[in-house]
Amino acid sequence: MNEFVLDSAFAGVTISLLTYMLGMYLKKRFQSGLLNPLLLSIAASIVILLAAHIDYEAYNAGAKYLSWFLTPATVCLAIPLYEQLELLKKNWAAVAAGIVSGVLTNMVTVFALAMLFGLNHQEYVTLLPKSITTAIGMGVSEELGGYVTITVAVIVITGVLGNILGDLVCKVFGIHEPIAKGLALGTSAHAIGTAKAMEMGEVEGAMSSLSIAVSGVLTVACASFFAGFIQ
Amino acid sequence: MKYLKQFLIILVISFIGEVLKALLPLPVPASIYGMVILFVCLVTGVIRLDAVKETGRFLIEIMPVMFIPAGVGLMSSWGVLRPMLLPVGVVTVVVLVAVMAVTGRVSQAVIRKKDAK
């Protein structure tokens, strides 16, 4: 089975898309926000691979073509941003204040919790770039001497959780302005959160896209400073 | 042909992003360089919105499925993650909610203050 899948260009993609479609169907059928198609697809794919004794490498031999589209898709996030240019110009102060406060909150809370759990330097810097997009986060973790594999795992889990919890957190904290919702999702849960923001609306999606780039770059600038706090 | 042309433009920008990533010594991925390039091109009118719109919309719409392989990849990082599971789990959830709440509340406060004027 494993050998066959390893040679197959379509097995991984097919498993991924079929489980995603199943998730979409369940979400529609039961009208529940907790039934997140992305999470269901990831969980179901893992179960299928484990049950059929297929390695991740074999699955990814085909599934990597889905990941391949991420770069062009991220480039395209400039489109909704451009379409909301007027809104951005009008609200630049809110955008800047929101993203800067979000990035600082990330640094301070990671530091506080790292102190609480008594983490060492390497574990601490592994978690510092957890809120930003994978490609930037990996670079930050590597540069500061963290465990890059764990950084990637945490970034992905953060994104998926943000995707699921976005609606709930905005509701609980009384965040109703579309601009504020978009900034919140993009700054806390990068591109996977942005996928949720796109579902919420055009403004949310555009603001979330902007947050990925700005919070990513700000984190690069802040992380090396904060990294020195735990030796 | 229209979609192929649009896709080509997007791919060329992605490629330029890759070139910049190789040339510049910053931990910035090709996709972010590309996003900035496309944004600047749209604002300056070098690329018209019509030249990328439909394909761009499609790619953004199907974006969630592109994260499935990375998510499934968690099955192979489980071994390294397990010894740190408690701190990592708490940090992941608490920081996520804190960042989301603070970003949202701060920007909302600024928007409402401005609107009240």
Side-chain angles (χ1 to χ4, degrees), chain A residues 27-160:
Chain A
K27 184 185 167 189
K28 212 172 162 191
R29 174 81 176 71
F30 296 102
Q31 302 284 337
S32 167
L34 287 177
L35 288 170
N36 180 285
L38 178 59
L39 180 68
L40 283 171
S41 168
I42 292 169
S45 300
I46 291 179
V47 169
I48 291 171
L49 297 186
L50 290 177
H53 300 286
I54 301 168
D55 296 337
Y56 177 69
E57 286 65 34
Y59 159 83
N60 204 35
K64 68 173 184 230
Y65 296 107
L66 282 178
S67 316
W68 182 87
F69 278 100
L70 263 178
T71 299
T74 308
V75 169
C76 292
L77 291 174
I79 298 170
L81 188 58
Y82 169 71
E83 288 174 321
Q84 303 297 333
L85 189 59
E86 284 309 308
L87 197 70
L88 176 65
K89 279 183 186 161
K90 247 188 271 170
N91 292 284
W92 69 270
V95 171
I99 300 177
V100 168
S101 62
V103 169
L104 289 177
T105 303
N106 174 76
M107 298 290 156
V108 173
T109 45
V110 171
F111 170 68
L113 290 168
M115 287 296 277
L116 185 73
F117 285 107
L119 300 185
N120 62 33
H121 178 79
Q122 193 170 12
E123 292 162 341
Y124 166 59
V125 297
T126 296
L127 297 174
L128 267 183
K130 73 169 280 286
S131 299
I132 59 174
T133 192
T134 323
I136 306 185
M138 274 171 74
V140 171
S141 177
E142 201 173 353
E143 192 144 315
L144 299 175
Y147 301 101
V148 179
T149 342
I150 300 185
T151 303
V152 172
V154 173
I155 288 175
V156 173
I157 299 171
T158 296
V160 174

Side-chain angles (χ1 to χ4, degrees), chain B residues 2-114:
Chain B
K2 183 170 115 191
Y3 296 102
L4 188 63
K5 244 188 217 162
Q6 294 190 342
F7 193 49
L8 176 64
I9 292 173
I10 294 163
L11 286 186
V12 168
I13 294 173
S14 305
F15 175 66
I16 298 173
E18 272 186 331
V19 172
L20 285 178
K21 182 185 151 57
L23 292 178
L24 302 173
L26 302 168
V28 173
S31 57
I32 299 293
Y33 285 126
M35 184 172 147
V36 173
I37 294 169
L38 179 56
F39 182 70
V40 171
C41 286
L42 286 169
V43 172
T44 54
V46 174
I47 294 173
R48 280 175 308 107
L49 186 57
D50 293 344
V52 286
K53 199 171 173 181
E54 286 82 6
T55 306
R57 282 265 159 93
F58 171 70
L59 285 174
I60 291 172
E61 198 187 308
I62 63 162
M63 206 169 171
V65 305
M66 301 169 196
F67 295 108
I68 298 172
V72 177
L74 293 177
M75 67 186 271
S76 45
S77 47
W78 177 243
V80 258
L81 202 56
R82 207 167 51 183
M84 284 177 73
L85 202 59
L86 179 71
V88 167
V90 173
V91 170
T92 304
V93 177
V94 174
V95 176
L96 170 76
V97 174
V99 173
M100 207 184 269
V102 170
T103 309
R105 290 297 299 204
V106 168
S107 47
Q108 182 163 283
V110 177
I111 294 165
R112 294 199 169 159
K113 201 174 156 195
K114 191 196 71 173

